[in-house]
Amino acid sequence: MIENQSNWAGNYTYSAARLHRPETVEQVQELVIHCRKLKVLGARHSFNGIADSPEALISLEHFDQVAALDRARRTVTVEAGVRYGPLCRHLNREGYALHNLASLPHISVAGACATATHGSGDRNGNLATAVSAMEIVTADGEVVVLSREGHGEQFQGAVVGLGGLGVVTKLTLDILPAFDMRQDVYENLPLAQLEDHFDDVVSSAYSVSLFTDWRSARFNQVWFKRRVTDGAPVELEPELFGATLATSQRHPIAGLSAANCTEQLGIRGPWHERLPHFRLDYTPSSGEELQTEYFVPRQHAFAAFRAIERLREHVAPLLQISEVRTIAADNLWMSPCYKQACVSIHFTWKKNWPAVRALLPVIEEQLAPLNARPHWGKLFTMPPARLQSLYERLPDFRQLLRSYDPQGKFRNAFLDTTI
Ligand SMILES: Cc1cc2nc3c(=O)[nH]c(=O)nc-3n(C[C@H](O)[C@H](O)[C@H](O)COP(=O)(O)OP(=O)(O)OC[C@H]3O[C@@H](n4cnc5c(N)ncnc54)[C@H](O)[C@@H]3O)c2cc1C
């Protein structure tokens, strides 16, 4: 058994007997050749067994360098153990930015992209959409480089790879010139307003997050993250669709200190200190939580809210907080947003797995008519046949996995069951 055997939340214990920490690509190649079954462990922030292996795990914690910044092509190449926090600081110092970030910067770039991790924003694809090239050690120990330019369809299949194609050792990401942002919070948005004004609300800033505890028919908070353009003042209304502008810092969960949250109240700051909800220097929470998230095609947003509202008395007692975000459509085969813009409904649960496990099938049944797909890295109970029916490129992805990994070296119980 490996030391410290569990994921970040402590709800999943890895079954692997060994954890290797290679320092060079050659050592990765040797491990891949000699292990019968293995998997890469990222920052351990997934809530299910997607990162587990019945035999050996590899940590790329020594692969933590930014390898190259190409100003002409506007790309950055990173070693695959790099986490968003240090990468963002580096990019910002150099005058660059990523297009979007998840709610916290502590996750690894490779682990996040493997599961189509996302932030919010009508025009923002998930984090994997920034990947333009990947270096992978495949099952036979070969180093393969796949790129958006050179490998078309195959590349679109490989990026959200669920850890199944091999050991990603480097990633190249698209970057933008650095930009400043401001964050403003409104409180108590009536749910009914979203029937006619959902598009108005979520399109009114670069990234918008709506938080609710489902205790009443309202969203407790709406976080607007806007890009600041010099010389263009932002005039904020004290009231917006029935919600009121907050006058002090807020934590998404009522009653918790906002000290670990990124700066609000319209104070201008760099992109990487506004896009995540939680500051890099703070641990966002103690891990005393479970997470679930479903993606529905954007046009079904309000129907999905009503579906959850119908379950309010079951959902609210188990919940810490729920967050709604929007994600642009993309071309990545295993992305929940493949060819369709989505709205995601996320649940941070209290750590009561028996009760949550009993409730998830009920939520999934309510959302089924809306073709909801679960987040790959969070908890769900959807039957595999149902999940598989929602991914039109699944047969192609299976074929891709077979061609890169014919013996199933990188397959684990999660992939065997769901894919
Ligand atoms: C507090 C918290 C907040 C979160 N916020 C968000 C959010 O805002 N948005 C969102 O979408 N998700 C969010 N998540 C979920 C999280 O982003 C995903 O589960 C993500 O995949 C975790 O990345 P990781 O680095 O921890 O990778 P792990 O969970 O360790 O691994 C995930 C997958 O990536 C594979 N992998 C990792 N590195 C490599 C590599 N080098 N080569 C090949 N495969 C690799 C693993 O094998 C596994 O299959 C959150 C999770 C937590 C705990």
Side-chain angles (χ1 to χ4, degrees), residues 8 39-47 50-51 60 80 102-104 107-108 110-112 114-115 117-118 162-163 166-168 289 291 325 375 377-378:
W8 173 85
K39 202 87 183 162
V40 186
L41 197 52
R44 305 185 183 209
H45 278 61
S46 293
F47 289 83
I50 192 168
L60 294 185
S103 63
L104 83 176
I107 49 178
S108 75
T115 65
T117 290
H118 63 95
L162 312 180
V167 181
V168 176
E289 63 186 59
Q291 294 187 9
R325 290 176 276 186
H375 191 302
K378 300 184 181 180

Side-chain angles (χ1 to χ4, degrees), residues 287-298:
E288 282 304 308
E289 63 186 59
L290 301 173
Q291 294 187 9
T292 296
E293 190 167 27
Y294 298 102
F295 301 80
V296 299
R298 187 186 161 117

Side-chain angles (χ1 to χ4, degrees), residues 80-134:
V82 163
R83 297 186 186 213
Y84 279 98
L87 170 62
C88 292
R89 282 180 174 164
H90 177 92
L91 284 176
N92 193 56
R93 272 197 306 272
E94 298 291 334
Y96 290 97
L98 296 171
H99 77 289
N100 210 359
L101 292 170
S103 63
L104 83 176
H106 306 77
I107 49 178
S108 75
V109 177
C113 293
T115 65
T117 290
H118 63 95
S120 191
D122 280 8
R123 296 180 182 196
N124 297 326
N126 68 47
L127 304 189
T129 60
V131 178
S132 67
M134 308 160 79

Side-chain angles (χ1 to χ4, degrees), residues 1-2 14-22 27-28 30-42 44 49-60 163 166-167 408-413:
M1 281 291 179
I2 60 175
Y14 300 110
S15 56
R18 286 182 304 283
L19 173 63
H20 301 278
R21 294 184 171 86
Q27 288 174 4
V28 172
E30 261 173 51
L31 282 166
V32 169
I33 289 166
H34 289 114
C35 291
R36 201 181 53 85
K37 285 274 188 189
L38 83 163
K39 202 87 183 162
V40 186
L41 197 52
R44 305 185 183 209
I50 192 168
D52 201 2
S53 156
E55 203 175 300
L57 288 170
I58 292 186
S59 160
L60 294 185
V167 181
K409 195 170 272 201
F410 297 103
R411 284 210 296 274
N412 56 12

